[in-house]
Amino acid sequence: MIKLDVNGKQHQLDVAPDTPLLWALRDTLHLTGTKYGCGQALCGACTVQVDGAPTRSCVTPVSAVAGRKITTIEAVNTDRVGKAVQDAWRKLDVVQCGYCQSGQIMSAVSLLRQNRRPSDDDIDNAMSGNLCRCATYVRIRAAIHEAAKTLA
Amino acid sequence: MNTIENLSRRRFLQGSAGLTLGFCLPALAAPVAGPGKAGEGVVGPIHFEPNAFLRIGTDNTVTVLSKHLEMGQGTYTGLATILADELDADWNTVRVEGAPADAKRYNNLFWGPAQGTGGSTAMANSWEQMRRAGAAGRAMLVSAAAIKWKVPAAEITVRDGVVSHAQSKHRARFGELAVDAATLPVPTELKLKDPKDFRLIGKQAKRKDSADKINGQARFTQDVQLPGMLVAVVAHPPRFGATVKSFDARRAKAVKGVVDVVQIPQGVAVLASDTWSAKKGRDALSVNWDESQAFTLGSEEIFARYRELAKTPGLVAHQHGDADQAFGKAARVVRASYDFPYLAHAAMEPMNCVIRLGGDGCEVWNGEQMQTGDQYALAGLFGLKPEQVTIHMLYAGGSFGRRASSHSDYVLEAAQIVKAINGRAPVKLVWMREDDMRAGYYRPLFHHALEAALDDKGRLTGWRHRLVGQSIVAGTAFEKNLVKDGIDQVSVEGAANLPYAIPNMKVDLHTPKDIPVPVLWWRSVGSSHTAYSTETFLDQVAEAMGKDPVALRLELLATHPRHAGVLKLAAEKAGWGSTPLKPGKPGERRGRGVAVHESFNSYVAQVAEVTVAKDGSIKVDRIVCAVDCGIAINPDNVRAQVQGAIGFALSAALHGEITLKEGRVEQGNFDGYPPLRIHEMPVVEVHIVPSAAAPSGIGEPGVPPAAPAVANAIAAATGKHLTRMPFNTAELAA
C-alpha cells in the first residue's frame, strides 16, 4: 500500500511501487486531467506539482512521492495563481486540441508562483519542456503575461 | 427570400429526414457522447429538436450537434457560431455535443454519402446547412410565439435567445417556447440573414471547449473508463509486413494486473486491468517475428530509387503549351531537385480506441474522424450491419490527419482484440508513443525535380515538375474520386494547379507501388511538399531572372486576384521593399522570404524573417501572414489556426523526419522526432482579407507557405537554397 496526498486528499493505493504517478492518478484515482504523451519526460503533458514543483508524473514512481503534496490540474483553481492562469487561458482562448494544456497550465502556475513578472526568456525556460503539437505557443506566452498582469 | 439551390435543399431535407419532431423521451434525449453515460437514461429537460443539428431545452439550453470532430481546429465553436447566429441564440447558453455516427443525417456534404472530417471541409460543407438549421429553429420559435401571443409572426423579433413582440410587450426566452415549437411543422422555405446582420459570425464568439480543456474535464479517448474494461497494449512487428511467428507469454502473464495475452493480425496484445500493467506485460513478452515478407529498405534506398525514377517520364498530371519545346529553345535552364522525408503526425494523444461488443452491436469511443468508413470496417469484422456500430465521438488530442485513417487501422486493431477475447470485456487499446510513431501512416516520402526555361530575353517560358511518391488514396474508398487516369490528385495538388502564368508547363508523376510503408494525409496533404518545391524553386528562378520575388509573383498572378491579394497584403504588412530588416549581431545573417499558396480553397501568403547564426543554426524571428478563407466565421480562431499551422510547419522544416533503416523506423519518441518548442516559435502576425465569399478551410492552409517562406528567407540571408526537409543547418555554416 502506498499513501498518496493528492489535491489535499489522502489515498491508500494498492499498486506496484514502480508504477508511475501518472498511471496511478489516471487509472487508479480516475484523475484523468493529467495526460500521457511520451512516457519519458519529453513532452510535459503529464506535469503535476509535487510540493509545488512541476514534476513529470510519467517518470515519477509513486514510491518516490508517497506522503508528499501532489497537486493536479483538477485542483489547480484552488489558489489565486492557478485561477489567474486558467482565467488568462480562457480570455485568450489558448487551447486547441487541449490534450497538452493541463501540463502547460501546471508548468505556468509553477513559474508564476516563483516569478510574478516573467520575461519572454523566463517563459521559454520554464515552458520549453511542454510540447504543444497544435503550437499554441504564441498564446501560451501571451496568457502567462496576462496572468502575471492580473496577479500584480 | 433566400432562394434555395435544389441540390442543397434536397440534401437539407434528406438531412432532416427521419427526425422525431416534438417531444423527445428523456431516455432517448440523454447525451450519448459522455463516456459511461450511455444507456443510463439521464433525465434532462424536455427539448425541442427541429432538425438533426439543434436541440433547445426548456431550460433555455441550446445544444448544437456537431457532425464533425473537434481535434483542436475549432470546429465545435465554428459550427455553433453559424447555427447560433441564424437562430439568434444567446451565445452563453449554447453548448456543443458530438453527433452520433449516422451518415444519413450527418454526412460530409462534400464527401457524398459518408460522414467524416478532413480536408478542411467542416465549415465549408456545413455553412449553408448550419445556417438553415438555425434559421429553421428560429422560424419555429417565432411561429410558436405568434400563435401563443396571437400576433403576426412578421412583427416578432428575436435577439440573444429572447423572442419578443414590441407592441404587445410579450417576451419569452427560447425555453418557454420550446414545447410549443416542437409541435409545429418544420418550415421548408427559410429566410437567411443578410450577412450585414450577423451578430456572431465574423465577431468574437469564444471557444466552446476552453472551459473543459483548462480544468482537466475534457474527455478524450484516453480518459474513457468503462465497467470491467481492460486496457490493451500491443507488441507490434519491428518492420512493415512482418507477422507473428510465435510468442511466449509466460513472463507477461506473471505481471500483476495482466489478465490475458492474445494474438491478433497486428501483433500480440496484452490485456490488463490498467495501462501500466498492460505496458509492463507487453514489454515482458517475447515474440518471434516472421520477417520473410517484411520490407527491408531504408529511406536512403527509397530516395535513391525515386531519383532514378525521376529520370524517366511519369504520368502527365497537367500540361499546357509545349513545355518540351520551350526547353528546347531555352537560353537558360534552372534546375533543382528536392527530398521530403516521411513525417509522423505525432498528435499529443497517441492513437487509442475503446470498443465494447454488446447484445446487438458494438459501441466505439474514439476521437472519431471517419465515422462511415469505421462503421463499415467494424461491421465487416464483427458481422454486423454498419448501423449497429454506435460511435461516441470524443475530443481528439490532435490528429493532423492521423485519425482520418481510410484503413481504419487502429480502430480495427482495437476491434481485433475485442474479437480475440470474444467480446467478454470492453477494451481500450492504448498505443504508447513508440507504437504511434512507428506505426506508419506517414506523410509519404517524396522526391521532386523541377526545371524552368528562360528564353533569350530572360523570360520564364517553361516549367517542368516531376514528382515521385506513394499514393495516399490508392486502395481506399477515396480512390474512386481522387485517382484520375492513374494520378492521385492529392500527390500533385499544389503542383498540377500551379497558379503562375507560365506559357508552357508540364507536371508528371511516378507512383511507386512496391513500397509498403503505410501513408496517410498529413495536415495540408500534397501541399505539405508541393508548396515547398514550387515556392522555393520560383525564388531560384526569380534570382536567375534578377527579379524581386514578390514582383515576379505578382506579375505571374495577374489572373489570380485572391493569390495576389494575400501576397500584396502580407508583403505590405511585413514591410517588404519598404522597411529593411535590422542587421543581426556580428556573425549573424538575416533575411526575409515570401511564399504564397492556395490549398483547400483558401489563400495564404507569408513573409518570414530569419536569423542564421555562424554555425548555421536558424532562428525564425517573425512570420507575417495574410489569409483569405472567405468569410472568417471566427476571426480569432482563424488567427489561432494560422499561428498553430506555422508552428506545425516549422516542426517539419527544422526537425521533422521519420527515417527507415533496413526497414525499421529509427525514431520512437519526441527525442528523435522533436516537434517545435516554445522557444523556437516565432512572432506571428495574421491579417485576414475581408471577404464575402463562402467560407473555405482554415485548419490546414496555414501550413504550406511557412517552410518555403522560411527557406526563401534563409536563401536571402545566406545565398543557399535548401532543397531538403528538414533543413540541414550544416549547409549554412559561414
Side-chain angles (χ1 to χ4, degrees):
Chain A
M1 282 291 186
I2 304 243
K3 283 186 190 170
L4 284 189
D5 173 345
V6 182
N7 300 334
K9 271 194 200 157
Q10 309 299 319
H11 300 272
Q12 296 253 7
L13 272 68
D14 179 19
V15 297
D18 68 341
T19 305
L21 175 60
L22 169 70
W23 297 113
L25 292 171
R26 290 183 52 82
D27 286 357
T28 312
L29 299 178
H30 300 301
L31 292 169
T32 54
T34 305
K35 299 298 192 231
Y36 167 75
C38 70
Q40 293 187 22
L42 295 166
C43 78
C46 67
T47 307
V48 299
Q49 287 158 8
V50 177
D51 296 333
T55 303
R56 309 295 184 223
S57 65
C58 73
V59 293
T60 305
V62 283
S63 55
V65 290
R68 295 172 67 187
K69 217 169 129 38
I70 297 157
T71 309
T72 71
I73 187 71
E74 284 85 356
V76 80
N77 65 348
T78 52
D79 83 336
R80 189 164 159 260
V81 178
K83 177 112 191 359
V85 169
Q86 286 181 320
D87 288 348
W89 246 247
R90 275 194 86 165
K91 184 174 171 192
L92 300 185
D93 266 350
V94 171
V95 307
Q96 290 189 26
C97 89
Y99 194 80
C100 75
Q101 296 293 346
S102 299
Q104 304 282 359
I105 288 171
M106 297 312 283
S107 290
V109 170
S110 295
L111 166 66
L112 285 166
R113 281 219 190 99
Q114 306 243 316
N115 180 348
R116 284 297 168 98
R117 284 196 57 194
S119 65
D120 279 349
D121 280 350
D122 295 335
I123 292 173
D124 282 352
N125 288 333
M127 303 301 294
S128 62
N130 287 83
L131 284 176
C132 175
R133 191 70 170 131
C134 304
T136 60
Y137 300 127
V138 169
R139 289 172 191 233
I140 288 172
R141 185 186 303 286
I144 291 173
H145 286 308
E146 170 73 22
K149 213 165 66 187
T150 63
L151 287 166
Chain B
M1 183 63 68
N2 186 292
T3 45
I4 304 156
E5 195 258 315
N6 276 338
L7 183 65
S8 301
R9 172 196 286 233
R10 209 162 53 235
R11 280 175 171 162
F12 179 75
L13 294 176
Q14 192 182 44
S16 318
L19 276 178
T20 318
L21 290 171
F23 301 99
C24 292
L25 295 173
L28 291 175
V32 289
K37 286 183 185 162
E40 286 169 21
V42 179
V43 178
I46 290 164
H47 39 242
F48 157 51
E49 194 170 342
N51 51 59
F53 303 99
L54 171 62
R55 287 203 300 255
I56 298 175
T58 49
D59 64 354
N60 298 309
T61 304
V62 171
T63 302
V64 175
L65 284 100
S66 170
K67 66 180 184 178
H68 290 297
L69 172 67
E70 176 57 69
M71 48 189 155
Q73 83 283 40
T75 282
Y76 273 20
T77 306
L79 294 175
T81 303
I82 305 170
L83 189 153
D85 202 322
E86 289 287 352
L87 182 64
D88 277 312
D90 172 0
W91 185 245
N92 295 315
T93 66
V94 174
R95 58 183 288 279
V96 185
E97 194 177 295
D102 179 0
K104 287 199 183 73
R105 290 180 288 165
Y106 298 116
N107 62 315
N108 185 324
L109 300 180
F110 291 174
W111 291 4
Q115 185 180 356
T117 306
S120 293
T121 58
M123 294 306 121
N125 94 92
S126 306
W127 171 241
E128 188 176 317
Q129 186 175 46
M130 296 306 279
R131 290 185 72 188
R132 296 182 58 79
R138 186 187 188 280
M140 291 167 78
L141 291 165
V142 167
S143 296
I147 293 163
K148 193 171 177 182
W149 299 335
K150 300 188 175 62
V151 300
E155 292 175 7
I156 289 174
T157 56
V158 187
R159 185 148 174 174
D160 293 336
V162 176
V163 183
S164 50
H165 183 249
Q167 215 184 333
S168 66
K169 296 201 167 56
H170 279 298
R171 228 173 152 272
R173 299 190 69 192
F174 284 179
E176 298 165 55
L177 297 165
V179 172
D180 290 345
T183 63
L184 299 175
V186 179
T188 50
E189 298 273 307
L190 291 169
K191 188 175 184 326
L192 299 181
K193 276 188 179 177
D194 184 320
K196 74 174 166 40
D197 298 325
F198 286 152
R199 294 176 53 79
L200 294 167
I201 294 165
K203 309 290 193 299
Q204 278 284 15
K206 301 293 281 180
R207 280 189 82 110
K208 282 294 167 194
D209 51 350
S210 260
D212 281 351
K213 288 178 175 178
I214 58 167
N215 62 16
Q217 298 308 305
R219 284 286 175 158
F220 298 89
T221 309
Q222 195 80 28
D223 304 330
V224 173
Q225 296 280 353
L226 298 175
M229 184 184 82
L230 297 174
V231 180
V233 177
V234 175
H236 292 105
R239 288 183 164 114
F240 300 110
T243 54
V244 177
K245 191 186 281 173
S246 65
F247 66 97
D248 180 349
R250 277 173 298 181
R251 281 178 51 230
K253 284 184 173 167
V255 173
K256 193 182 163 202
V258 170
V259 301
D260 209 346
V261 177
V262 294
Q263 186 177 338
I264 55 171
Q266 295 85 351
V268 181
V270 175
L271 293 121
S273 53
D274 64 279
T275 318
W276 181 244
S277 303
K279 184 199 178 290
K280 278 212 291 193
R282 190 276 306 264
D283 293 348
L285 271 179
S286 109
V287 185
N288 272 318
W289 301 101
D290 176 355
E291 300 190 57
S292 57
Q293 305 299 312
F295 182 66
T296 55
L297 289 187
S299 293
E300 282 315 314
E301 286 92 8
I302 300 173
F303 274 127
R305 277 196 187 186
Y306 284 13
R307 287 183 202 115
E308 279 305 306
L309 268 175
K311 292 176 183 163
T312 62
L315 289 177
V316 175
H318 173 84
Q319 62 182 335
H320 65 252
D322 188 337
D324 296 339
Q325 196 185 45
F327 277 86
K329 289 190 196 161
R332 186 171 171 196
V333 175
V334 183
R335 292 192 176 86
S337 61
Y338 294 84
D339 288 338
F340 300 96
Y342 289 115
L343 290 172
H345 304 74
M348 291 306 297
E349 181 185 20
M351 294 306 105
N352 44 27
C353 183
V354 180
I355 298 186
R356 175 162 70 188
L357 210 49
D360 57 354
C362 90
E363 260 183 299
V364 179
W365 287 261
N366 184 24
E368 180 62 50
Q369 202 172 345
M370 281 281 182
Q371 281 85 346
T372 307
D374 287 342
Q375 280 183 308
Y376 273 85
L378 292 173
L381 184 74
F382 289 130
L384 298 166
K385 293 184 190 130
E387 58 270 26
Q388 288 175 287
V389 178
T390 301
I391 301 180
H392 306 288
M393 179 173 66
L394 306 181
Y395 287 130
S399 168
F400 317 111
R402 182 62 183 87
R403 286 186 180 269
S405 171
S406 28
H407 299 268
S408 301
D409 68 306
Y410 68 92
V411 171
L412 276 175
E413 184 172 311
Q416 289 283 7
I417 299 167
V418 174
K419 196 179 171 194
I421 61 165
N422 298 315
R424 70 170 193 273
V427 169
K428 172 159 70 178
L429 167 69
V430 173
W431 277 4
M432 297 290 119
R433 174 57 59 195
E434 293 78 6
D435 298 303
D436 188 89
M437 199 167 281
R438 293 183 176 138
Y441 297 96
Y442 303 131
R443 195 288 301 275
L445 178 152
F446 259 84
H447 176 74
H448 293 208
L450 284 99
E451 297 176 298
L454 306 184
D455 69 7
D456 52 5
K457 297 194 178 64
R459 291 174 304 199
L460 173 57
T461 51
W463 179 280
R464 287 194 296 220
H465 187 168
R466 182 163 294 156
L467 303 92
V468 187
Q470 288 166 259
S471 167
I472 291 170
V473 304
T476 74
F478 291 91
E479 180 168 353
K480 207 174 91 200
N481 288 327
L482 292 176
V483 176
K484 293 191 180 110
D485 302 325
I487 305 281
D488 179 341
Q489 301 301 308
V490 308
S491 293
V492 294
E493 62 187 354
N497 54 338
L498 193 77
Y500 298 120
I502 302 168
N504 304 290
M505 188 172 147
K506 180 152 86 175
V507 178
D508 61 353
L509 172 74
H510 287 283
T511 306
K513 294 185 174 68
D514 55 350
I515 309 286
V517 179
V519 292
L520 193 59
W521 9 69
W522 181 96
R523 196 175 187 177
S524 81
V525 199
S527 290
S528 71
H529 47 96
T530 60
Y532 187 83
S533 63
T534 57
E535 284 297 281
T536 60
F537 187 63
L538 190 68
D539 260 38
Q540 294 202 37
V541 172
E543 195 178 286
M545 295 169 81
K547 293 208 173 187
D548 172 79
V550 171
L552 174 62
R553 283 175 174 81
L554 288 174
E555 222 175 86
L556 299 174
L557 289 170
T559 58
H560 290 271
R562 294 180 79 179
H563 284 84
V566 291
L567 179 59
K568 278 185 212 157
L569 183 59
E572 178 206 318
K573 296 288 183 185
W576 187 277
S578 62
T579 315
L581 265 184
K582 287 196 187 108
K585 292 181 211 134
E588 285 179 349
R589 293 153 290 169
R590 301 202 70 212
R592 200 179 256 155
V594 68
V596 59
H597 191 81
E598 173 274 322
S599 60
F600 310 98
N601 301 314
S602 291
Y603 302 78
V604 182
Q606 293 175 15
V607 174
E609 296 170 358
V610 305
T611 303
V612 182
K614 216 167 182 170
D615 66 355
S617 61
I618 301 157
K619 171 99 169 68
V620 183
D621 302 305
R622 182 169 84 131
I623 294 188
V624 178
C625 178
V627 49
D628 173 357
C629 58
I631 293 170
I633 295 161
N634 301 97
D636 192 50
N637 188 56
V638 170
R639 285 188 285 273
Q641 285 308 300
V642 172
Q643 290 163 349
I646 286 170
F648 193 82
L650 293 183
S651 291
L654 301 176
H655 310 300
E657 183 170 31
I658 290 289
T659 53
L660 303 184
K661 194 173 181 191
E662 295 172 357
R664 292 189 185 86
V665 178
E666 294 188 283
Q667 298 74 21
N669 213 313
F670 293 128
D671 46 356
Y673 189 77
L676 201 79
R677 292 183 184 269
I678 191 168
H679 62 277
E680 301 170 299
M681 186 74 196
V683 171
V684 176
E685 274 180 35
V686 182
H687 303 278
I688 301 170
V689 176
S691 173
S696 42
I698 201 55
E700 299 171 90
V703 173
V710 169
N712 289 338
I714 291 168
T718 66
K720 300 237 168 63
H721 293 278
L722 300 174
T723 56
R724 181 177 191 286
M725 285 174 77
F727 301 153
N728 177 8
T729 55
E731 284 180 49
L732 304 174

